[in-house]
Amino acid sequence: MAKIKRIFISNRGEIAVRVIRTARALGIETVLGVSEADRDTLGAKLATRTVCLGPAAATQSYLKVETVVEAAKGTGCDALHPGYGFLSENKRLAEACAKEGIVFIGPSPDNLDAVGDKLTARNHAEAAGVPLVPGGSIETAEEGLAIAEEVGFPMLIKAVSGGGGRGMKRVNSAAELPKQIDMAISEASAAFGDGRIYMERFVTVGRHVEVQIISDGETVIHAGERDCSVQRRYQKVVEEAPAPGLQSALRQGLLDAAVKYARHINYKSLGTVEFLVDVERGEFYFLEMNARVQVEHPVTEAITGLDLIALQIAIAEGQPLGLTQDDISLTGHAIECRLNAEDMDRDFMPSPGRVTQAWFPPIPGLRVDTHMQPGAMISPYYDSMVAKLIAYGETRDKAVEVMSTALKVTELTGVTTNAPLHMAIMDDAEFQAGGVDTNYLPGLLARIAAKKEAAE
């Protein structure tokens, strides 16, 4: 396949800037598709060219497959990078690109089909011999009860097409089951247009650990794991690599299972296989596979020295990976904090507005992925993430120290951010000890609220 010369980026924010950075280094031109609200962003200034996709609402711009493909075609692009979110895992976009002779920088439509539906993804995991959370699909309360009697309460109901925690319901007893099933089906139908649900064991003490996969379709390797257990309402807040305190046998089991899963579906591109580690049982279960670059990919880049976007582009060009598992060396520790424009004192309400100052200190060991600059406008139409701070150290303690310093001296004014929350996490002894589970952040927030109330 010929070398890619011009990439259309159908995304915005920091990931658009991130893709532009690597494309520039590779001598590839970029065309950024922007909404009317994003005409003056940093990404629009850095791209070789910009083209407007439509109004600010994502449904009228970033999410319109035909518009995106026509814009790529009309600007002479020979490839398209979807970033993450929006259409990044949209099979129809991948197919439309193929039809127009545009290289989709991501997996094949068949790969997207295999992992886009949670039940299909579970079936592939079962066929691949990858451990699954005990459970299954349900349509009625009777079916749910039969599964619950076998597995035991508490159980968790999930939407087949779900994401971000929507449609998820914890069920503690048989008496709660019928009502929770009705609510889950209703929410799933409203949010995703797909009312199918399934039910699985609720893991009381769990850690969210994921494995970075890289595959050219022939060679499948991993680039280590990331721990994403610091979450608020199922949204990742802090990520790190490697996952602290995992027993070596459990870690190797996760890595092997991820490679096995990717190999089973003939995966080709970057991807991430996500697992839930059951702390009490010392077991792990497949959750899902994300067929795209992840928000938290920089922590993997920090400990491997890889440029994952460059690898993603090379694989899309049809180049052989040129790497074996033995070539992947993991060194040091990295932590990423997602800096969001939100107010933790007002239940994390979004804080859109104009940024008056954006300055990130040039501290050794600190990387900043952002689209912020003085005068930047944080729109209410999109995700509130404004920057990712990535701290690297030879040890985890050093990475925490670098991050703490960065958070204290970073200047991002004009809007309210969640920097105080990140500072509280970095200062917390439990986090510093490593290996926290998904109950950690709600517990920390409760402790912060209690301390504040006592002081008033």
PDB file of all heavy atoms in Angstrom, residues 11 68 111 163 198 269 292 294 339 351 362 365 385 419 430 437 444:
ATOM      1  N   ASN A  11     -12.223  14.792  14.295  1.00  0.00           N
ATOM      2  CA  ASN A  11     -12.333  14.893  15.741  1.00  0.00           C
ATOM      3  C   ASN A  11     -11.898  16.294  16.166  1.00  0.00           C
ATOM      4  O   ASN A  11     -11.635  17.145  15.321  1.00  0.00           O
ATOM      5  CB  ASN A  11     -11.496  13.813  16.441  1.00  0.00           C
ATOM      6  CG  ASN A  11     -12.161  13.327  17.719  1.00  0.00           C
ATOM      7  OD1 ASN A  11     -12.387  14.089  18.632  1.00  0.00           O
ATOM      8  ND2 ASN A  11     -12.496  12.042  17.757  1.00  0.00           N
ATOM      9  N   VAL A  68     -18.658  13.743   6.889  1.00  0.00           N
ATOM     10  CA  VAL A  68     -17.235  13.531   7.199  1.00  0.00           C
ATOM     11  C   VAL A  68     -16.506  12.929   5.995  1.00  0.00           C
ATOM     12  O   VAL A  68     -15.433  13.401   5.592  1.00  0.00           O
ATOM     13  CB  VAL A  68     -17.091  12.615   8.438  1.00  0.00           C
ATOM     14  CG1 VAL A  68     -15.656  12.112   8.572  1.00  0.00           C
ATOM     15  CG2 VAL A  68     -17.509  13.362   9.703  1.00  0.00           C
ATOM     16  N   ASN A 111     -13.682  -6.254  12.383  1.00  0.00           N
ATOM     17  CA  ASN A 111     -13.195  -6.092  13.756  1.00  0.00           C
ATOM     18  C   ASN A 111     -14.180  -5.259  14.572  1.00  0.00           C
ATOM     19  O   ASN A 111     -14.499  -5.592  15.718  1.00  0.00           O
ATOM     20  CB  ASN A 111     -11.844  -5.393  13.777  1.00  0.00           C
ATOM     21  CG  ASN A 111     -10.686  -6.261  13.320  1.00  0.00           C
ATOM     22  OD1 ASN A 111      -9.629  -5.746  12.978  1.00  0.00           O
ATOM     23  ND2 ASN A 111     -10.861  -7.566  13.299  1.00  0.00           N
ATOM     24  N   GLY A 163     -22.557   2.297  27.495  1.00  0.00           N
ATOM     25  CA  GLY A 163     -21.255   2.882  27.736  1.00  0.00           C
ATOM     26  C   GLY A 163     -21.395   3.974  28.767  1.00  0.00           C
ATOM     27  O   GLY A 163     -22.483   4.527  28.959  1.00  0.00           O
ATOM     28  N   TYR A 198     -28.095  -7.413  29.538  1.00  0.00           N
ATOM     29  CA  TYR A 198     -27.589  -8.674  30.072  1.00  0.00           C
ATOM     30  C   TYR A 198     -27.240  -8.462  31.537  1.00  0.00           C
ATOM     31  O   TYR A 198     -27.195  -7.323  32.027  1.00  0.00           O
ATOM     32  CB  TYR A 198     -26.399  -9.204  29.265  1.00  0.00           C
ATOM     33  CG  TYR A 198     -25.158  -8.356  29.300  1.00  0.00           C
ATOM     34  CD1 TYR A 198     -24.059  -8.720  30.090  1.00  0.00           C
ATOM     35  CD2 TYR A 198     -25.054  -7.199  28.532  1.00  0.00           C
ATOM     36  CE1 TYR A 198     -22.907  -7.957  30.105  1.00  0.00           C
ATOM     37  CE2 TYR A 198     -23.906  -6.423  28.544  1.00  0.00           C
ATOM     38  CZ  TYR A 198     -22.837  -6.816  29.330  1.00  0.00           C
ATOM     39  OH  TYR A 198     -21.699  -6.044  29.352  1.00  0.00           O
ATOM     40  N   SER A 269      -4.769  -3.329  14.195  1.00  0.00           N
ATOM     41  CA  SER A 269      -4.689  -1.904  14.541  1.00  0.00           C
ATOM     42  C   SER A 269      -4.313  -1.791  16.018  1.00  0.00           C
ATOM     43  O   SER A 269      -3.921  -2.773  16.641  1.00  0.00           O
ATOM     44  CB  SER A 269      -6.008  -1.165  14.295  1.00  0.00           C
ATOM     45  OG  SER A 269      -5.810   0.237  14.425  1.00  0.00           O
ATOM     46  N   ARG A 292      -9.871   1.346  19.147  1.00  0.00           N
ATOM     47  CA  ARG A 292      -9.432   2.717  18.822  1.00  0.00           C
ATOM     48  C   ARG A 292      -8.278   3.076  19.736  1.00  0.00           C
ATOM     49  O   ARG A 292      -7.906   2.296  20.610  1.00  0.00           O
ATOM     50  CB  ARG A 292     -10.581   3.693  19.061  1.00  0.00           C
ATOM     51  CG  ARG A 292     -11.141   3.580  20.475  1.00  0.00           C
ATOM     52  CD  ARG A 292     -12.215   4.591  20.765  1.00  0.00           C
ATOM     53  NE  ARG A 292     -13.009   4.262  21.926  1.00  0.00           N
ATOM     54  CZ  ARG A 292     -12.647   4.376  23.189  1.00  0.00           C
ATOM     55  NH1 ARG A 292     -11.443   4.829  23.477  1.00  0.00           N
ATOM     56  NH2 ARG A 292     -13.451   4.046  24.177  1.00  0.00           N
ATOM     57  N   GLN A 294      -6.928   4.990  22.915  1.00  0.00           N
ATOM     58  CA  GLN A 294      -7.586   5.348  24.169  1.00  0.00           C
ATOM     59  C   GLN A 294      -7.125   6.730  24.657  1.00  0.00           C
ATOM     60  O   GLN A 294      -5.996   7.148  24.384  1.00  0.00           O
ATOM     61  CB  GLN A 294      -7.229   4.333  25.258  1.00  0.00           C
ATOM     62  CG  GLN A 294      -7.774   2.942  25.028  1.00  0.00           C
ATOM     63  CD  GLN A 294      -9.204   2.788  25.523  1.00  0.00           C
ATOM     64  OE1 GLN A 294     -10.138   2.954  24.740  1.00  0.00           O
ATOM     65  NE2 GLN A 294      -9.391   2.456  26.752  1.00  0.00           N
ATOM     66  N   LEU A 339      -7.676  16.545  33.292  1.00  0.00           N
ATOM     67  CA  LEU A 339      -8.087  17.856  33.805  1.00  0.00           C
ATOM     68  C   LEU A 339      -9.373  18.265  33.081  1.00  0.00           C
ATOM     69  O   LEU A 339      -9.374  18.475  31.863  1.00  0.00           O
ATOM     70  CB  LEU A 339      -6.968  18.864  33.540  1.00  0.00           C
ATOM     71  CG  LEU A 339      -6.809  20.037  34.507  1.00  0.00           C
ATOM     72  CD1 LEU A 339      -6.648  19.555  35.937  1.00  0.00           C
ATOM     73  CD2 LEU A 339      -5.609  20.885  34.108  1.00  0.00           C
ATOM     74  N   SER A 351     -18.046  23.554  33.588  1.00  0.00           N
ATOM     75  CA  SER A 351     -17.706  24.966  33.745  1.00  0.00           C
ATOM     76  C   SER A 351     -17.214  25.535  32.415  1.00  0.00           C
ATOM     77  O   SER A 351     -16.031  25.830  32.247  1.00  0.00           O
ATOM     78  CB  SER A 351     -16.620  25.119  34.824  1.00  0.00           C
ATOM     79  OG  SER A 351     -16.202  26.458  34.939  1.00  0.00           O
ATOM     80  N   PRO A 362       7.303  23.535  32.363  1.00  0.00           N
ATOM     81  CA  PRO A 362       8.215  22.592  31.693  1.00  0.00           C
ATOM     82  C   PRO A 362       9.020  21.783  32.712  1.00  0.00           C
ATOM     83  O   PRO A 362      10.240  21.888  32.793  1.00  0.00           O
ATOM     84  CB  PRO A 362       9.106  23.530  30.868  1.00  0.00           C
ATOM     85  CG  PRO A 362       9.129  24.806  31.632  1.00  0.00           C
ATOM     86  CD  PRO A 362       7.788  24.937  32.301  1.00  0.00           C
ATOM     87  N   GLY A 365       9.967  15.228  33.214  1.00  0.00           N
ATOM     88  CA  GLY A 365       9.069  14.109  33.495  1.00  0.00           C
ATOM     89  C   GLY A 365       7.611  14.423  33.236  1.00  0.00           C
ATOM     90  O   GLY A 365       6.760  13.535  33.369  1.00  0.00           O
ATOM     91  N   MET A 385     -13.167  17.769  29.063  1.00  0.00           N
ATOM     92  CA  MET A 385     -11.732  17.576  29.286  1.00  0.00           C
ATOM     93  C   MET A 385     -10.925  18.658  28.559  1.00  0.00           C
ATOM     94  O   MET A 385     -11.112  18.879  27.366  1.00  0.00           O
ATOM     95  CB  MET A 385     -11.282  16.197  28.802  1.00  0.00           C
ATOM     96  CG  MET A 385      -9.864  15.852  29.235  1.00  0.00           C
ATOM     97  SD  MET A 385      -9.438  14.133  28.913  1.00  0.00           S
ATOM     98  CE  MET A 385      -9.308  14.166  27.131  1.00  0.00           C
ATOM     99  N   ALA A 419      -8.714  20.378  39.117  1.00  0.00           N
ATOM    100  CA  ALA A 419      -7.342  20.269  39.629  1.00  0.00           C
ATOM    101  C   ALA A 419      -7.310  20.014  41.139  1.00  0.00           C
ATOM    102  O   ALA A 419      -6.486  19.205  41.608  1.00  0.00           O
ATOM    103  CB  ALA A 419      -6.541  21.529  39.279  1.00  0.00           C
ATOM    104  N   GLU A 430      -3.750   6.592  50.792  1.00  0.00           N
ATOM    105  CA  GLU A 430      -4.260   5.345  50.207  1.00  0.00           C
ATOM    106  C   GLU A 430      -3.867   5.235  48.729  1.00  0.00           C
ATOM    107  O   GLU A 430      -3.439   4.178  48.264  1.00  0.00           O
ATOM    108  CB  GLU A 430      -5.790   5.297  50.361  1.00  0.00           C
ATOM    109  CG  GLU A 430      -6.385   3.938  50.045  1.00  0.00           C
ATOM    110  CD  GLU A 430      -7.891   3.895  50.271  1.00  0.00           C
ATOM    111  OE1 GLU A 430      -8.433   4.753  51.010  1.00  0.00           O
ATOM    112  OE2 GLU A 430      -8.532   3.015  49.690  1.00  0.00           O
ATOM    113  N   ASP A 437      -9.023   0.261  44.454  1.00  0.00           N
ATOM    114  CA  ASP A 437     -10.066  -0.343  43.621  1.00  0.00           C
ATOM    115  C   ASP A 437     -11.066   0.724  43.198  1.00  0.00           C
ATOM    116  O   ASP A 437     -10.909   1.902  43.506  1.00  0.00           O
ATOM    117  CB  ASP A 437     -10.739  -1.508  44.352  1.00  0.00           C
ATOM    118  CG  ASP A 437     -11.388  -1.079  45.653  1.00  0.00           C
ATOM    119  OD1 ASP A 437     -12.332  -0.263  45.603  1.00  0.00           O
ATOM    120  OD2 ASP A 437     -10.961  -1.542  46.731  1.00  0.00           O
ATOM    121  N   LEU A 444     -13.055   8.627  48.806  1.00  0.00           N
ATOM    122  CA  LEU A 444     -12.259   9.842  49.038  1.00  0.00           C
ATOM    123  C   LEU A 444     -13.162  11.079  49.021  1.00  0.00           C
ATOM    124  O   LEU A 444     -13.023  11.972  49.866  1.00  0.00           O
ATOM    125  CB  LEU A 444     -11.166   9.968  47.970  1.00  0.00           C
ATOM    126  CG  LEU A 444     -10.339  11.255  48.034  1.00  0.00           C
ATOM    127  CD1 LEU A 444      -9.525  11.320  49.324  1.00  0.00           C
ATOM    128  CD2 LEU A 444      -9.416  11.390  46.815  1.00  0.00           C
TER     129      LEU A 444
END
